[in-house]
Amino acid sequence: MDVTPSHSARQAELTTLFSGQLKSQLQALDSVRQQAVKRLFIGCIVVPLLGLLSFAYAQVNYMGPELIFWVVGISAMLMYWLVASKWSAYRQGYKTQVVGKLLSTFNRSFKYSPSGEISSVKYKESGLYRRAYDRYQGEDHVTGKLGKTQLEFSELHTQYKTTTTDSKGRTRTTWHTIFKGLFFVADANKHFKGKTYILPDSTGLFSALGKSLGNLFGTRDDRVALEDPEFERYFEVYSNDQVEARYLISPALMRRLLAFRYEADARVALSFVGGQLYIAIPTRKAYFEPKLFKPSVNMDVIEEIYQDLEFITGIVEDLDLNTRIWTKE
């Protein structure tokens, strides 16, 4: 049984929710937001003022710059903590009290964990990003069912680090992003015999290196040649089961993937592994986040969260996952 209301029904329920209990909760949260903003403005005045006073004092008493650094540094850290503590309280309250309710209104089956994430096991099983990571972070984990499709998604950010040493023996650690965006796992309703990967077509550096992405997925023989030049312009397909790969990647799916890529404007990647379909959508957008300088009691912010949800869950419709063209074996 589908527990997802229609778009018009959701809009009506959203308006009712906003005008009722949600509005009073937003008003209470907004007082916390205002305190964070006030502390930020006070800090922008106090820290420079203390810096000027300490500079004047140092000049009069013929002191070095150490006093200035200490005064500015300590006052800046103190003000940062005062602002961050209020902002953290506001952000946590907003996600727990507001976003959680919006998600349940959007779909009754959705369960939301603001600090949760797609498990690292599933990230690795997808095979989409094989570079070993040194840092794995995520948030806004959602699980539920859309139509016949069981799914989960969250924001993810994986990174690896490099350490360099200069001529004076000083070490420097640099963090590099492997993946940052939305990571989506859906029940494909079939246990796949092989492993099939649909990757963004390699361009630029990768092209100059002779399509080196192929080296990540085995020999060049694992490349699946398809008869759609537009699809192959944007995607590369690799599989250890050529027959199954062609069965999975139908002309209809290729059209939907192209349309989704245009709409999302992202180098989306997919894999069919085990009984799951994995989808990675690189994006810089932070979903379900409140705005520090926007009043909480604002229907536009609530509608923006709904639009984000419609985009994310629209993947099921865009890729026609509910048609269930595959069956369990």
Side-chain angles (χ1 to χ4, degrees):
M1 181 178 178
D2 194 351
V3 290
T4 306
S6 65
H7 177 78
S8 57
R10 287 202 304 265
Q11 288 288 57
E13 188 170 3
L14 177 62
T15 302
T16 302
L17 179 66
F18 180 78
S19 302
Q21 182 183 7
L22 195 59
K23 191 170 185 178
S24 60
Q25 288 182 323
L26 287 169
Q27 288 171 338
L29 282 169
D30 200 58
S31 65
V32 181
R33 182 194 66 82
Q34 290 176 22
Q35 290 177 47
V37 172
K38 287 178 182 177
R39 290 183 180 187
L40 179 61
F41 286 149
I42 290 171
C44 289
I45 296 171
V46 170
V47 174
L49 181 60
L50 288 175
L52 287 172
L53 290 174
S54 60
F55 174 77
Y57 182 84
Q59 289 291 99
V60 170
N61 293 276
Y62 303 100
M63 299 174 65
E66 293 82 4
L67 175 66
I68 304 171
F69 293 145
W70 276 103
V71 170
V72 172
I74 293 174
S75 59
M77 285 190 292
L78 177 61
M79 292 310 305
Y80 174 81
W81 180 82
L82 289 172
V83 174
S85 61
K86 277 298 175 184
W87 167 248
S88 178
Y90 171 62
R91 184 174 179 269
Q92 184 64 31
Y94 191 93
K95 289 201 169 193
T96 303
Q97 300 175 38
V98 179
V99 177
K101 284 190 176 179
L102 290 176
L103 281 162
S104 63
T105 302
F106 188 91
N107 183 291
R108 302 293 184 271
S109 74
F110 278 177
K111 295 181 180 179
Y112 175 55
S113 173
S115 59
E117 63 198 24
I118 294 288
S119 75
S120 60
V121 173
K122 292 184 179 180
Y123 172 82
K124 292 175 183 177
E125 286 177 347
S126 75
L128 290 173
Y129 299 94
R130 300 193 176 187
R131 177 72 187 247
Y133 58 80
D134 296 301
R135 182 183 287 166
Y136 187 93
Q137 299 171 307
E139 62 177 353
D140 294 324
H141 185 225
V142 178
T143 61
K145 193 170 186 179
L146 281 175
K148 302 174 184 177
T149 304
Q150 194 72 37
L151 58 86
E152 62 175 312
F153 58 87
S154 79
E155 293 183 55
L156 276 186
H157 189 192
T158 57
Q159 299 169 284
Y160 70 92
K161 65 179 179 181
T162 56
T163 304
T164 57
T165 305
D166 63 19
S167 58
K168 296 182 179 180
R170 294 173 298 191
T171 59
R172 178 184 177 186
T173 299
T174 305
W175 289 93
H176 311 269
T177 292
I178 302 170
F179 171 75
K180 180 177 175 60
L182 279 172
F183 202 86
F184 191 103
V185 184
D187 176 20
N189 199 42
K190 176 183 174 65
H191 182 80
F192 304 114
K193 296 177 182 177
K195 296 180 180 180
T196 299
Y197 308 90
I198 304 175
L199 307 173
D201 185 60
S202 53
T203 57
L205 175 61
F206 288 119
S207 180
L209 294 175
K211 304 285 186 179
S212 63
L213 266 180
N215 297 328
L216 295 177
F217 294 91
T219 67
R220 290 296 298 275
D221 294 334
D222 289 336
R223 175 77 182 268
V224 180
L226 299 169
E227 298 178 357
D228 187 326
E230 185 180 9
F231 184 82
E232 293 218 316
R233 177 185 173 190
Y234 292 104
F235 294 99
E236 293 178 350
V237 179
Y238 295 87
S239 180
N240 58 4
D241 190 323
Q242 296 273 324
V243 175
E244 184 177 61
R246 288 186 172 83
Y247 167 68
L248 292 172
I249 307 171
S250 64
L253 180 60
M254 285 190 278
R255 288 195 300 270
R256 292 189 187 97
L257 273 175
L258 283 170
F260 181 76
R261 186 192 184 282
Y262 295 142
E263 178 188 357
D265 191 25
R267 292 170 62 81
V268 59
L270 301 88
S271 65
F272 299 84
V273 179
Q276 305 292 321
L277 168 61
Y278 301 90
I279 307 173
I281 308 171
T283 176
R284 296 178 180 274
K285 181 179 177 63
Y287 291 88
F288 311 143
E289 292 293 330
K291 308 293 191 296
L292 179 60
F293 295 106
K294 271 193 175 182
S296 304
V297 189
N298 188 327
M299 188 65 178
D300 291 340
V301 177
I302 302 300
E303 287 181 338
E304 183 180 340
I305 293 176
Y306 250 51
Q307 289 169 5
D308 289 342
L309 278 169
E310 288 180 332
F311 168 74
I312 295 169
T313 57
I315 295 170
V316 172
E317 181 178 347
D318 292 339
L319 300 185
D320 200 23
L321 299 183
N322 279 324
T323 298
R324 319 309 275 167
I325 62 172
W326 310 303
T327 55
K328 292 279 188 186
E329 295 183 354

